[in-house]
Amino acid sequence: MKGFAMLEIGKTGWIEKDIPEISPVDALVKPICVAPCTSDIHTAFKGAIGQRKNMILGHECVGEVYKVGKLVKDFKPGDKVIVPAITPDWGTVPSQEGYPMHSSGMLSGWKFSNYKDGVFAEYCHVNEADANLCHLPEGVDPISAVMLPDMVVTGFHGAELAKIEFGDTVLVVGIGPVGLMAVAGANLRGASRIIAVGSRELCQKTAKEYGATDILSYKDGDLVENVMNMTCGRGVDRVIIAGGDNNTFAQAVKVVKPGGIVSNVNYLGEGETVNIPRVEWGVGMGHKTITGGLTPGGRMKMEKMARLIASGKLDTKKLVTHVFHGFDKIEDALMLMKDKPKDVIKPVVVIE
Ligand code: NDP
Ligand code: ZN
């Protein structure tokens, strides 16, 4: 089969590989719609997960089941499915403890384009199909649905980890596709005020459409000062970090109130440590919680998120700024994500 791969750090290209073998509980899926992710860029060009040779990229996919193992009960060839970015090993202790994304070790639920070939291929292997695949619901089109495997669940996970309560004031740092879904998630959870941080106009406009009440550019003055001024010196109840750098943590800790939560879903690519300001963290006694997580995976999560689209409560189409047609366009879409011109939020490739 053909696939678009990371050949080594800094180098990508088309390669030929054998079609993956499946075990009795697995499925082989033919991607029909895929999306490149900022994480693919970090993986391929920044060496975020270390060296990988000839590994097919991609982990955001809607597809058609091509083949299933003999123990798979709920899926059959021809079924249209959403494939989560994270496909945990469900029979492990960490999964039973409620952390399936770390099912066989830290971050190990992330298999596609990490431990095995990803979805930018003619076929992809899905482990534990009954637990990890999700039927594409009636009335949900593949382009809207392909925002579910990673963008929706990750942004919403930011809101979940932040434990947003009715009436909370929430700061969302970063309003790329992940941050925009964090805004949407915060809005659905009942935040009264959502301050969204990003510099690109299209993202700012889209953030408002998803429920942001205030917009700030991190390029326009001091972020901490701006947030404190906007909140009459009180700070915010919750911060969701979906962009920025290590310094963003310090800013988040400074603006969150005592008792507040800073929830990170951003990938931290540099430095040995994360900067937590001692005084603003209450010299260690401020009851300011700092948390962060890899996106949850699996079938139940996908089904629930998909229902939000099916019911009309979430419109993911606003994230999709570019639609390419044809398998060979995967490279163009990925490069668009790499260069990130002002008019791009998320590109999608419709394969058939
Ligand atoms: P984007 O690059 O599209 O968006 C990043 C956002 O951060 C933009 O709004 C950008 O603003 C903003 N930003 C950049 N620098 C700063 C700064 N110094 N201070 C404040 N804001 C800043 O990324 P995505 O939305 O695609 O992904 C966000 C992150 O989530 C990535 O690190 C990605 O790897 C990670 N991720 C994590 C997952 C998980 O499981 N936890 C899953 C998927 C992705 P602008 O461009 O407008 O200037
Ligand atoms: Zn992704």
Side-chain angles (χ1 to χ4, degrees):
M1 67 175 189
K2 205 173 152 194
F4 192 75
M6 163 181 184
L7 305 177
E8 60 183 26
I9 294 173
K11 215 166 152 198
T12 53
W14 292 99
I15 57 170
E16 284 285 335
K17 284 220 165 170
D18 290 339
I19 295 174
E21 300 280 331
I22 57 167
S23 87
V25 297
D26 301 339
L28 198 60
V29 170
K30 221 174 153 29
I32 56 176
C33 191
V34 297
C37 179
T38 304
S39 304
D40 289 310
I41 303 304
H42 292 152
T43 299
F45 299 104
K46 297 198 173 154
I49 54 172
Q51 185 60 278
R52 299 287 190 280
K53 300 245 172 158
N54 301 327
M55 178 186 71
I56 294 175
L57 290 164
H59 51 259
E60 301 181 15
C61 164
V62 169
E64 185 178 305
V65 176
Y66 181 74
K67 191 168 142 189
V68 292
K70 63 177 188 299
L71 297 178
V72 173
K73 296 190 284 288
D74 297 344
F75 297 88
K76 58 180 190 319
D79 286 352
K80 297 276 196 298
V81 288
I82 301 163
V83 182
I86 306 298
T87 51
D89 307 304
W90 287 97
T92 64
V93 172
S95 287
Q96 290 178 23
E97 287 171 333
Y99 293 92
M101 61 293 267
H102 309 297
S103 54
S104 299
M106 181 123 79
L107 311 182
S108 63
W110 176 21
K111 299 183 191 308
F112 289 123
S113 65
N114 185 2
Y115 296 118
K116 69 178 185 185
D117 283 321
V119 303
F120 295 166
E122 286 175 283
Y123 302 92
C124 63
H125 167 274
V126 180
N127 57 298
E128 298 185 41
D130 279 327
N132 280 322
L133 285 177
C134 164
H135 288 285
L136 181 68
E138 192 117 340
V140 178
D141 64 277
I143 294 177
S144 299
V146 82
M147 295 298 105
L148 291 163
D150 198 0
M151 297 301 95
V152 175
V153 270
T154 303
F156 277 48
H157 194 47
E160 285 166 345
L161 289 174
K163 298 187 177 151
I164 292 165
E165 294 179 7
F166 298 127
D168 275 348
T169 295
V170 179
L171 178 72
V172 178
V173 183
I175 42 172
V178 171
L180 288 168
M181 287 300 93
V183 169
N187 195 35
L188 279 168
R189 282 182 76 114
S192 60
R193 190 174 184 195
I194 302 172
I195 306 170
V197 180
S199 77
R200 284 178 290 152
E201 245 172 64
L202 176 64
C203 295
Q204 294 177 344
K205 174 180 156 281
T206 311
K208 281 197 176 151
E209 289 170 11
Y210 279 124
T213 51
D214 306 75
I215 301 290
L216 269 180
S217 170
Y218 60 96
K219 293 181 178 168
D220 197 5
D222 180 69
L223 185 66
V224 173
E225 226 173 87
N226 286 337
V227 173
M228 294 316 278
N229 284 339
M230 286 168 85
T231 55
C232 305
R234 289 153 84 181
V236 298
D237 299 296
R238 305 287 191 257
V239 183
I240 304 172
I241 304 178
D245 51 27
N246 279 3
N247 187 42
T248 309
F249 264 95
Q251 294 172 322
V253 169
K254 285 179 184 173
V255 300
V256 82
K257 290 176 190 171
I261 300 176
V262 175
S263 144
N264 178 76
V265 288
N266 193 33
Y267 158 72
L268 297 176
E270 275 157 28
E272 289 299 310
T273 54
V274 171
N275 184 6
I276 298 171
R278 181 180 63 85
V279 172
E280 289 87 349
W281 203 41
V283 291
M285 298 179 279
H287 290 101
K288 296 188 178 188
T289 302
I290 301 172
T291 182
L294 178 68
T295 194
R299 176 176 176 174
M300 182 269 280
K301 198 75 191 175
M302 280 301 115
E303 287 182 351
K304 286 192 175 182
M305 296 293 115
R307 270 180 235 148
L308 287 173
I309 300 181
S311 67
K313 288 194 185 269
L314 178 67
D315 175 7
T316 52
K317 274 271 172 65
K318 290 178 192 155
L319 297 178
V320 181
T321 49
H322 296 71
V323 179
F324 293 84
H325 290 270
F327 188 67
D328 56 350
K329 293 292 194 304
I330 287 174
E331 183 170 12
D332 296 347
L334 185 75
M335 292 310 151
L336 197 62
M337 208 57 184
K338 180 168 182 261
D339 300 337
K340 244 169 232 173
K342 284 186 172 23
D343 66 339
V344 72
I345 298 179
K346 192 83 176 170
V348 161
V349 183
V350 179
I351 292 169
E352 57 184 46

